Amino acid sequence: MEFNASQIESVVRQILDQMTEKGAAAPAPAAAASPEIPKTAHVAMLTGVRKIEVKEYPIPPVGDDEILVRVEGCGVCGTDVHEWKGDPFGYIPVVLGHEGTGEVVALGKNIKCDTAGKPLKVGDKIVTSVTKCGECGICRNHPGNTNLCDKQGIFGLIPDSSDYHLNGWFADYLLIHGTGATYFNVNGLDVQERMLLELATVCVHALLRGQSTGLLKFNSKVLLQGCGPVGLMMLCVLRAAGINHIIAVDGSEARLALAKEIGCKTIINFKESNADTLEKRVGLVKAVTDGMGADFAYQCTGAPAAAADVYSYIRRGGGLCEMGFFTNNGDCTINPHLALCNKEINLVGSWDYTAQDYLTTMAFLKQCREMNIPIKKLITHSFPLDKLNEAMEVNIAQKGIKVCYVPNC
């Protein structure tokens, strides 16, 4: 005899009713099993210049104020590449990776919620933000500016120690520890959005810095110099913020094509004959800005020559946000009279982000869904733990856009 779904449901209900009438409680749903935690974890340790080695360490007991996270993925940042190339921060040996995300597998007894007060439990998805010392002048007098803490840190740029090895996201597991750590429950985002969250937060913070000048409006003409991961993410942020006339300058046809797909109005390839000098490029910018120049510019390249050129694209009374120099790439030369004073340029710098910016960025990522901004197309390459030296080389060669570490990919 065959039963349809409705008949089966009716029989089950009758049985449950009979159990209740006889005083028997209906069976409670089974509790979710805690994830099995291995005894050891693998990390990609930067042990020398251009040398990442996979090492294995015991997973320590989780302290009362600590969180153990199973890593699900992590973006490769330009800062990771700089450290890999030459150890400018003096962190070697170090487990890199600060654009990561994963699943909470163990919580210390004192951890009940994330930095924003949202409940946190085993099984939740999580990201980390900045760590702050709580003691310097910025922390004591300007607590909203955690990005400017004198001893600001982030997991993924913490030197290895005998007490803690699981300090970066380029690993099987990350242990969140120490005072001043900030972290967020991000259950509402998928793993690709979560891997892009840290990069997006850099750009959301830069948007806020630009907005402080009063020059970013719906009708503003904004120039982006550089269409690497930062520049393209900045483009996504500007589009989500309602900026519709964006001009992108870069030398990669593929990156400029993606900029166009995201919503860039004008693209300028400085490798083409019509744009191979600054004078020509300025002419192209003025041609689409009523002969005046851009209202505002974001300099995202990290190249000193580009940092000097960008002032020429901006109109008198316009503004600039410099966000390309997260590491010391050298000096650039400008004429203060012509570049700044005569034009009365509104100049702001942007450094990292605050923990509060993470909340705004989560809303931005959801806004990208609503507006169909193809943010996930920034992710072009994924590498497993034992291929991260290759990932660094791909990043340096600019063969893709956003390179990521993904376990078992």
Side-chain angles (χ1 to χ4, degrees), residues 98-109:
H98 56 270
E99 298 181 352
T101 184
E103 179 180 340
V104 174
V105 294
L107 280 172
K109 68 178 184 180

Side-chain angles (χ1 to χ4, degrees), residues 224-237:
L224 276 176
Q225 191 174 42
C227 289
V230 173
L232 287 171
M233 181 62 78
M234 194 68 232
L235 172 58
C236 294
V237 169

Side-chain angles (χ1 to χ4, degrees), residues 99-101 126-128 184-186 189 191-204 233 353 357-365 375:
E99 298 181 352
T101 184
I126 196 172
V127 296
T128 50
F184 295 93
N185 181 329
V186 286
L189 303 174
V191 67
Q192 288 183 307
E193 290 168 329
R194 288 185 270 129
M195 286 194 294
L196 291 169
L197 177 56
E198 195 271 353
L199 171 61
T201 308
V202 168
C203 297
V204 165
M233 181 62 78
Y353 42 74
D357 291 329
Y358 263 64
L359 303 178
T360 307
T361 306
M362 292 177 208
F364 154 71
L365 290 170
I375 187 172

Side-chain angles (χ1 to χ4, degrees), residues 223 225 278 282 285-286 292-299 303-323 325 332-349:
L223 182 134
Q225 191 174 42
L278 177 59
V282 170
V285 171
K286 288 188 175 182
M292 297 179 64
D295 296 306
F296 199 87
Y298 279 94
Q299 203 295 114
D309 288 351
V310 71
Y311 294 89
S312 298
Y313 300 126
I314 304 168
R315 69 167 173 85
R316 298 186 76 182
L320 168 65
C321 179
E322 173 58 65
M323 57 182 302
F325 288 80
C332 74
T333 301
I334 65 168
N335 182 315
H337 167 70
L338 295 174
L340 284 167
C341 297
N342 179 265
K343 284 187 170 184
E344 203 165 90
I345 293 292
N346 296 269
L347 175 63
V348 294

Side-chain angles (χ1 to χ4, degrees), residues 13-69:
R13 286 182 176 177
Q14 289 178 24
I15 294 172
L16 290 175
D17 289 343
Q18 290 171 6
M19 292 173 65
T20 303
E21 289 171 359
K22 294 178 181 179
S34 297
E36 184 177 348
I37 301 172
K39 292 183 179 179
T40 62
H42 297 91
V43 303
M45 183 77 72
L46 181 65
T47 58
V49 172
R50 294 178 178 260
K51 186 179 181 181
I52 292 176
E53 298 181 85
V54 176
K55 293 186 175 293
E56 186 174 7
Y57 295 104
I59 295 179
V62 178
D64 293 346
D65 298 295
E66 297 175 347
I67 306 170
L68 184 66
V69 184

